[in-house]
Structures are given as structure tokens and as C-alpha cells.
Amino acid sequence: MSSETSPQSPNAKPRVAVVFGGRSSEHAISVVTAGAVLRAIDRTRYDVLPIGITTDGRWALTADDPDRMAIAERSLPSVEQIAEPGTGDVVLPVAPGRREVVYSEAGSVPKDLGDVDVVFPMLHGPYGEDGTLQGLLELAGVPYVGSGVLSSAVGMDKEYMKRVFTSFGLPVGPYLVMRPREWETDQSGALARIGGFADEHGWPLFVKPARAGSSMGISRVTAAADLPAAIEEARRHDPKIIVESLLLGREIECGVLEFEDGPRASLPAEIPPVSSHDFYDFEAKYIDSADGIVPAPLTAEETSRVQDLAVRAFEAASCEGLVRADFFLREDGEFVINEINTMPGFTPISMFPRMWEASGLSYPELVDHLIQTALRRATGLR
């Protein structure tokens, strides 16, 4: 596998392929995020190639039009809405050392779209944020923003994320994992096991897809009778589910960025309770725009502790580029890590950019920092 970079003429601008959309249930949020990044990239410093992945997995050329990629009147955008006319596919290079991107349409000569120096993968959820796209880019020898294959996979799978954190001494809350075969072969036994978990840790429980984000498919369950529907809702997004107990406390988030001298944490933020929602679900995050408090009203000692835990989580999962780490500050004053996101929400009003803006890095500077970090990094084993 090559770790070489393609030669550039002294006056050439690095070419950034912004890849977004995808096959997961977070398709629309990926489009929104990519629109914000496209608007922020400094076109005097970079050439940009927007590439959308449709919900059925086709790679398409799209319009470079951020205004059409925003949520409008509670309506979510899609790649299909902004794809360029035609049925052709965008094809990334498959040989290390080659960076050209090709547009191929049946019955036509393939069109060379030029070389790509770095990919900014604005994909959320499976088939993009989970190491699959990262593996493709490693095979092609193309640098990219964010974590590598292993850390992306760990960051997507809540079970193995918690196992990694536990092995590194990070505090996690009680949880139970139900794999597909258990539900498909013995539903009554599975429900009994979850009931036993509730007897030990109490109601309510949160039933979640094990490998999804943006609060997709999550249900707050207050009684055993509601478990089957919650499980089926989670399984619409992932056949493996995770059940977590309620952790009483404040929701605190912290951003981590990779710098040349190592990872650093941002000022933390707090997600206050949303009165119109049972918990911080998809609509609270993206439709009704629940406001986070930045910086979080913490003591200096609490701020320092959560920043340290966020950096420890980043390093425990071997992350690169960026991470948002989510915590609960319990009533006893202890922090418990809930999860990390290796490609967090990234619009200017998302918590990760807001935390870094409060820490002295504007949104355009943040985008530039991530691109430059990726350009400095080789592909392959590192």
C-alpha cells in the first residue's frame, strides 16, 4: 500500500473531494453537513469536487450549491435532489499512487475529472462513518479527513466502543447487547433478559441501534410492554441493538482535534433538557434546534476533568482528526462517557464547531485545519 503523495505543480491548489449522502438513515444530515462545509471551504486555497452517494449507493456528481443542501421548512435534502443530470457514476481510483477521479456513463467514453488530493468524507452512520469508506480510501492511497478504519469502526459500534473504553479504564454506564440471532430465535428469552436488566438498574431504559447515530431509532421505554415495539424500531436501523439504563445527570459534550503535537480538547458544552421531547432525539437535534450552552457552566476542575477524559477516549480508540465525546455528569460529581462520534454533526450550529469557536477556532478555520491535517497524513499503516 502506497503512502506517497501525488506530485503537484508549485502553483496548484489542493483538490478536495467532499463526499456525502450515503446509504444510512443519516443520509439527509450528511447532505446538510456537506453543504455547510462546501460553503466554508476557502476556494482561493482549494479546488473542490462535490460527490454525493445516493440512498441506493450510486456515486454521483452533484451541484456545488450549499443553499439546496439545507433543511427547508422541516424538509430534509437528499443527494438525488442535487445530483447532476444523467445516470453516470463517479469512480475513485483503485490503484495506490493514482488520484484521478473518473465519470463513467454507459455508452460514453469515461471522462477524467482530474486528480483528488484529499477526501473530506462527510458521511454519518454505516457505509461511511464506520470504516468502510476509510478502507476504500486506504486501498486507493488517497488521504482523507478523520479517523482510520479501526477507530471509525469502533466509534460506530456502541458495544465495542464501550468495551474499548472499559479496557482503558474509562467510566461507562450499565448496558446490555442483543445480537440478531437472539431476537430472531427466542424473543421471550430476550425480553426476559432485558427485564432482568431493568430489575437491576431500573426503568426507564433506552433501546438503541448498536451502529447508528443522530439519535436514529432510539426509544425511551418505561414499561416491559413497550419493549417489543422499541426493539423493532431500533432493528429498522441495525439488527444488533444495545439497551442502556438511565443515567441521571447533565449531558456534557467535548470536542477533540488532532494537532501536530497531539490531540487537544475544546471547551465543553452542555445539552440542557428539551421540554418538548422525552430526550435529545433526532427532531430535537436537527428540526427543533435544541440549544446547547457553550461553554458549559462547569467549574474549572470539572472542565479540566472532562477535557482529559475526552482526550483519553480519543487516544483509547486510536482516533485521528476529530472526535466529539459525549458524557453524563452524574449527581455524585463523576463523569461517565456515553459515546464518541468520529464524524460529528458539522454545521455551523452543531455542537462540535460551536465548541471550537468558543475555543478560538472559527468554522472556516476548523474546516481548513482538518484538511491540512489530512494532507500531512500518509495512508497505510501509521
Side-chain angles (χ1 to χ4, degrees):
M1 189 176 294
S2 171
S3 61
E4 297 179 357
T5 57
S6 294
Q8 289 183 293
S9 66
N11 298 320
K13 292 187 290 186
R15 196 155 191 243
V16 182
V18 178
V19 180
F20 59 95
R23 294 163 55 192
S24 83
S25 54
E26 298 174 73
H27 176 99
I29 297 308
S30 173
V31 176
V32 174
T33 301
V37 170
L38 286 170
R39 184 177 283 110
I41 291 178
D42 184 350
R43 305 307 175 96
T44 67
R45 296 193 63 193
Y46 304 103
D47 288 327
V48 178
L49 177 66
I51 301 173
I53 303 176
T54 64
T55 52
D56 63 0
R58 184 174 73 87
W59 291 50
L61 285 178
T62 67
D64 187 0
D65 187 352
D67 290 340
R68 294 172 58 194
M69 300 167 72
I71 298 173
E73 298 179 352
R74 304 178 73 90
S75 178
L76 298 172
S78 70
V79 168
E80 285 82 354
Q81 294 170 357
I82 58 172
E84 298 287 5
T87 58
D89 297 322
V90 173
V91 181
L92 288 180
V94 293
R98 297 178 61 184
R99 299 282 178 82
E100 71 275 10
V101 175
V102 172
Y103 180 76
S104 177
E105 196 163 5
S108 301
V109 176
K111 179 183 178 183
D112 187 350
L113 300 178
D115 287 0
V116 165
D117 297 293
V118 64
V119 171
F120 204 136
M122 302 309 307
L123 292 144
H124 302 302
Y127 314 111
E129 190 183 349
D130 59 350
T132 50
L133 177 63
Q134 289 75 13
L136 173 65
L137 296 172
E138 292 286 353
L139 287 171
V142 179
Y144 53 92
V145 170
S147 286
V149 176
L150 174 64
S151 47
S152 295
V154 168
M156 179 54 54
D157 191 312
K158 293 178 176 63
E159 175 192 0
Y160 289 98
M161 181 196 307
K162 291 177 187 292
R163 291 183 183 274
V164 167
F165 290 158
T166 300
S167 72
F168 277 81
L170 292 163
V172 303
Y175 69 97
L176 173 153
V177 176
M178 189 178 73
R179 291 179 168 78
R181 188 179 298 112
E182 182 178 4
W183 183 248
E184 292 161 4
T185 61
D186 185 11
Q187 292 190 8
S188 60
L191 291 170
R193 189 162 73 94
I194 297 173
F197 180 82
D199 290 341
E200 181 179 359
H201 299 289
W203 299 91
L205 302 178
F206 290 89
V207 178
K208 304 179 178 182
R211 295 162 293 194
S214 297
S215 297
M216 291 285 190
I218 299 178
S219 299
R220 183 179 188 272
V221 182
T222 58
D226 298 326
L227 278 173
I231 290 169
E232 291 297 346
E233 171 59 20
R235 281 171 52 84
R236 287 199 313 110
H237 302 270
D238 185 354
K240 183 170 81 167
I241 70 165
I242 190 165
V243 179
E244 297 174 349
S245 65
L246 174 67
L247 289 174
L248 293 174
R250 298 159 62 187
E251 291 191 46
I252 306 295
E253 298 183 347
C254 191
V256 181
L257 268 183
E258 180 184 1
F259 289 80
E260 291 190 72
D261 61 350
R264 303 180 202 168
S266 70
L267 289 171
E270 180 169 3
I271 308 300
V274 185
S275 59
S276 58
H277 296 263
D278 288 337
F279 61 98
Y280 195 40
D281 62 5
F282 178 87
E283 289 213 349
K285 284 183 179 179
Y286 298 110
I287 305 299
D288 295 331
S289 298
D291 288 329
I293 303 170
V294 186
L298 301 172
T299 67
E301 188 271 338
E302 288 170 336
T303 296
S304 178
R305 270 198 293 141
V306 77
Q307 288 175 324
D308 176 67
L309 286 168
V311 169
R312 286 173 57 193
F314 182 96
E315 294 185 313
S318 297
C319 295
E320 296 169 289
L322 72 163
V323 149
R324 193 193 73 229
D326 300 346
F327 299 86
F328 290 102
L329 176 55
R330 299 188 316 193
E331 294 174 336
D332 63 3
E334 294 301 315
F335 284 99
V336 174
I337 187 164
N338 183 38
E339 64 180 17
I340 57 171
N341 282 269
T342 55
M343 187 53 70
F346 210 85
T347 68
I349 63 170
S350 298
M351 298 311 299
F352 185 86
R354 288 182 59 197
M355 287 186 287
W356 277 105
E357 184 173 26
S359 305
L361 207 59
S362 71
Y363 188 82
E365 289 171 333
L366 178 60
V367 170
D368 181 74
H369 177 90
L370 289 168
I371 294 171
Q372 288 297 316
T373 299
L375 284 168
R376 285 194 301 267
R377 190 177 78 197
T379 57
L381 298 177
R382 51 189 182 272

